[in-house]
Amino acid sequence: MEFLKTLGIEGINPGTSTGRKHIESKETISSFTPTNGEKIATVGVTSREQYDRVVEEAQKAYQVWSNMPAPQRGEIVRQIGQKLREYKEPLGKLVTYEMGKIYQEGLGEVQEMIDICDFAVGQSRMLYGKTMHSERPEHRMYEQWHPLGIVGIISAFNFPVAVWSWNAMIAAVCGNVMIWKGSEKTPLCGVAVQKIVAKVLKENDLPEGIFNLVTGDRQVGEWMTEDTRIPLISATGSIRMGKEVGKTVASRLGKTILELGGNNAIIISEHADIEMAIRATVFGAVGTCGQRCTSTRRLIIHESVYDQVKERLMNIYDNITIGDPLEETTLVGPMIDQDAINNMQNALKEIEKEGGKVIYGGDVLEEDGFYVRPALAEVENHYEIVQEETFAPILYLMKFKDMDEAIAMHNGVKQGLSSAMFTLNMREAETFLSARGSDCGIANINIGTSGAEIGGAFGGEKETGGGRESGSDAWKAYMRRQTNTMNWGDSLPLAQGIDFDV
Ligand code: UN1
């Protein structure tokens, strides 16, 4: 396992770090590879005392970092992007080994980090505020954006490195310092990224406390969400988790960015390029073994092409190679753990109970590791199980007659992350993208639901949580807006023409 060595991963790894300093702890968790279920290494769990030390370091570092000009912070992020380029292969391999996504996707995830670094470097020179014309003479009005302070980042196992970078790189150029808690299912990814960043911090002689790592379960997450020293929590994960984070942070009037579950659908119209639609569907449904928040879970197919699509899918599913995600020919790697398999098996039973039919796959492979055959099921949209996000490669097939019905089905779930329609008909396409079309944060035409680029704002509506990360003007969520009015005259006129003579 050369890549573990290259990344500085050892048998026992500290899971708490203030940047260059790594803090040892007594309590540890083990990281297992889903490829064969074996233990890789242990990682130290952050104690309450260590957590407070991290927050104090972060507060100190904020005084330095927030006072650096934004383009200089951008320069540090540029160097982080360069280091990630150097470590792309070993880090991509670790993502694959610890999380289970195939190597191509592991590399893609690191590329997503590199891309967001590039984006953030540019952004560091574009933290624009507006200027307004004052209604009073000899007055100037404008707004400027200031950093918030400490940004808490809670990320999930399925994107163990990229989601941190969307938040951390943007937050960093904005002048914030970061405390990151990754998933306890993928703690080594956090350790490895922290070590890569540490090299840049060292080369630039930067203080401790800018990029911090904490490790542990819910408890550590709760310390963060309850902590009034952390003005913003950006959390990615399940709707259940997001509701708790949202409530706790709101009760102290803190800010959140929530990126929670999706129940993403593709509508295949009678006017679709069927081959393209099928390829996009398969990548969306079985990519990352159905464990992306953008995974395609529902396929809403026009009745005239339903049988054709179903047959093609069954054929393709039959030829998908499932196995070791580090092997080049593998298209579907393992699920993250036994719990994930159990959830999937329960969902398959639910489908049949509610009157649906599993028409392909779903079985657990008799191998070490957590391998399943991706499943296809015929269902109706209103089934309780279809309304839930099951984080597994189960694709629901549904039929529609007319477009209004398809869009109603499409929007008829609690979640609103990503969506797609395949059609070559301009009216259908524009309707889907219009206000009466998809109600999701992401809506695509002739592109699947997963695999978004970092340049757009990423996130969704309804129970997906409403947050936006990554590109576009998502940076504003990591800053506070200040409205400034400057009186450069020698009188004191009041706004709204109020006369108040003293
Ligand atoms: C996630 O699953 O939490 O759009 C993020 C995509 C990826 C990001 C997914 N760029 O599928």
Side-chain angles (χ1 to χ4, degrees):
M1 295 290 160
E2 199 52 39
F3 63 92
L4 293 177
K5 233 205 243 148
T6 314
L7 295 166
I9 301 291
E10 291 172 31
I12 303 169
N13 303 274
T16 308
S17 150
T18 51
R20 288 146 68 182
K21 246 188 254 152
H22 301 281
I23 306 164
E24 312 259 350
S25 17
K26 280 192 222 103
E27 206 190 317
T28 59
I29 45 172
S30 297
S31 170
F32 299 91
T33 172
T35 64
N36 58 19
E38 276 172 19
K39 180 171 155 182
I40 314 172
T42 66
V43 181
V45 171
T46 308
S47 68
R48 177 69 214 202
E49 188 223 321
Q50 289 171 339
Y51 169 78
D52 283 323
R53 229 167 102 193
V54 167
V55 175
E56 279 154 29
E57 282 291 355
Q59 284 179 315
K60 268 192 265 160
Y62 179 65
Q63 300 309 323
V64 179
W65 186 247
S66 63
N67 278 309
M68 255 166 88
Q72 273 183 33
R73 296 192 293 256
E75 167 56 19
I76 302 303
V77 168
R78 188 191 66 77
Q79 292 180 33
I80 293 175
Q82 281 306 107
K83 273 284 179 279
L84 287 167
R85 282 177 171 88
E86 262 172 59
Y87 285 89
K88 182 173 174 182
E89 287 177 16
L91 187 57
K93 265 195 190 138
L94 175 62
V95 168
T96 292
Y97 194 54
E98 195 180 33
M99 184 274 154
K101 61 178 69 177
I102 60 169
Y103 185 43
Q104 272 304 310
E105 291 184 297
L107 288 175
E109 178 160 356
V110 182
Q111 186 58 46
E112 208 162 316
M113 302 175 87
I114 295 168
D115 293 344
I116 199 71
C117 286
D118 287 357
F119 184 95
V121 176
Q123 193 68 65
S124 72
R125 290 182 184 268
M126 296 188 292
L127 302 171
Y128 299 137
K130 291 186 169 161
T131 63
M132 303 90 187
H133 283 258
S134 170
E135 65 191 51
R136 288 170 278 187
E138 299 177 330
H139 278 57
R140 184 166 68 86
M141 270 179 88
Y142 65 105
E143 60 187 23
Q144 49 178 346
W145 294 87
H146 291 311
L148 292 170
I150 303 176
V151 171
I153 302 165
I154 299 175
S155 62
F157 78 88
N158 66 331
F159 272 78
V161 292
V163 170
W164 166 79
S165 67
W166 296 350
N167 286 282
M169 295 303 108
I170 299 289
V173 297
C174 292
N176 302 288
V177 294
M178 283 57 63
I179 299 179
W180 175 25
K181 181 199 151 330
S183 164
E184 64 268 37
K185 293 177 182 174
T186 50
L188 292 172
C189 283
V191 172
V193 167
Q194 192 70 10
K195 292 199 169 188
I196 293 171
V197 172
K199 292 182 205 292
V200 176
L201 296 173
K202 186 161 178 236
E203 283 161 19
N204 290 276
D205 208 17
L206 284 164
E208 295 297 316
I210 302 170
F211 294 99
N212 305 281
L213 178 73
V214 292
T215 300
D217 56 14
R218 277 178 68 141
Q219 175 69 79
V220 179
E222 278 167 22
W223 294 335
M224 291 170 73
T225 52
E226 285 163 6
D227 198 333
T228 51
R229 296 169 294 183
I230 305 185
L232 169 67
I233 297 282
S234 176
T236 306
S238 68
I239 289 169
R240 196 176 47 79
M241 177 279 279
K243 282 184 177 168
E244 273 172 36
V245 168
K247 215 187 322 178
T248 308
V249 180
S251 73
R252 61 173 173 92
L253 300 180
K255 295 181 187 346
T256 47
I257 298 174
L258 298 175
E259 198 257 283
L260 313 174
N263 196 346
N264 319 298
I266 296 181
I267 298 177
I268 302 186
S269 136
E270 62 194 302
H271 306 295
D273 177 331
I274 300 287
E275 269 317 297
M276 233 164 82
I278 282 169
R279 287 185 53 163
T281 301
V282 175
F283 176 69
V286 312
T288 325
C289 205
Q291 300 169 109
R292 289 194 190 210
C293 55
T294 50
S295 289
T296 309
R297 312 221 173 270
R298 298 178 297 138
L299 198 58
I300 304 169
I301 314 162
H302 190 266
E303 57 178 5
S304 66
V305 292
Y306 184 89
D307 289 340
Q308 183 192 348
V309 168
K310 175 174 149 184
E311 205 173 298
R312 276 287 287 136
L313 281 176
M314 301 219 334
N315 251 316
I316 293 178
Y317 269 54
D318 226 12
N319 287 305
I320 284 175
T321 40
I322 307 164
D324 183 349
L326 284 164
E327 285 287 332
E328 225 174 274
T329 48
T330 301
L331 288 179
V332 174
M335 302 196 74
I336 185 70
D337 56 16
Q338 189 57 43
D339 278 354
I341 292 204
N342 296 346
N343 275 342
M344 178 175 177
Q345 297 310 305
N346 287 339
L348 294 170
K349 279 190 213 127
E350 280 303 309
I351 293 167
E352 303 267 345
K353 239 203 252 161
E354 289 195 68
K357 208 167 151 212
V358 178
I359 56 168
Y360 185 89
D363 42 317
V364 181
L365 304 195
E366 303 232 336
E367 274 171 48
D368 290 338
F370 307 110
Y371 297 92
V372 292
R373 205 177 302 282
L376 296 169
E378 292 183 303
V379 298
E380 281 176 42
N381 198 51
H382 61 82
Y383 291 178
E384 257 172 58
I385 191 67
V386 177
Q387 294 282 314
E388 296 301 320
E389 177 194 47
T390 303
F391 223 51
I394 304 173
L395 180 64
Y396 297 126
L397 309 189
M398 297 174 251
K399 233 182 243 180
F400 76 91
K401 277 196 178 66
D402 68 74
M403 212 25 105
D404 286 347
E405 182 197 359
I407 291 177
M409 270 160 86
H410 177 277
N411 292 345
V413 289
K414 291 172 286 186
Q415 310 84 345
L417 180 56
S418 188
S419 61
M421 178 187 280
F422 276 78
T423 182
L424 299 176
N425 178 301
M426 180 195 165
R427 284 197 180 132
E428 284 180 349
E430 291 292 346
T431 303
F432 187 66
L433 302 179
S434 77
R436 61 171 202 266
S438 163
D439 61 3
C440 291
I442 298 169
N444 299 328
I445 299 293
N446 297 332
I447 291 176
T449 58
S450 67
E453 301 176 19
I454 57 93
F458 185 92
E461 302 304 324
K462 302 195 286 187
E463 289 198 354
T464 302
R468 291 296 185 278
E469 298 168 325
S470 193
S472 184
D473 64 354
W475 61 271
K476 289 179 176 170
Y478 303 86
M479 302 199 89
R480 61 186 171 87
R481 182 198 310 246
Q482 187 174 70
T483 305
N484 305 114
T485 309
M486 167 72 139
N487 177 0
W488 54 276
D490 58 2
S491 63
L492 195 67
L494 297 179
Q496 295 90 44
I498 292 174
D499 195 2
F500 193 81
D501 241 353
V502 281

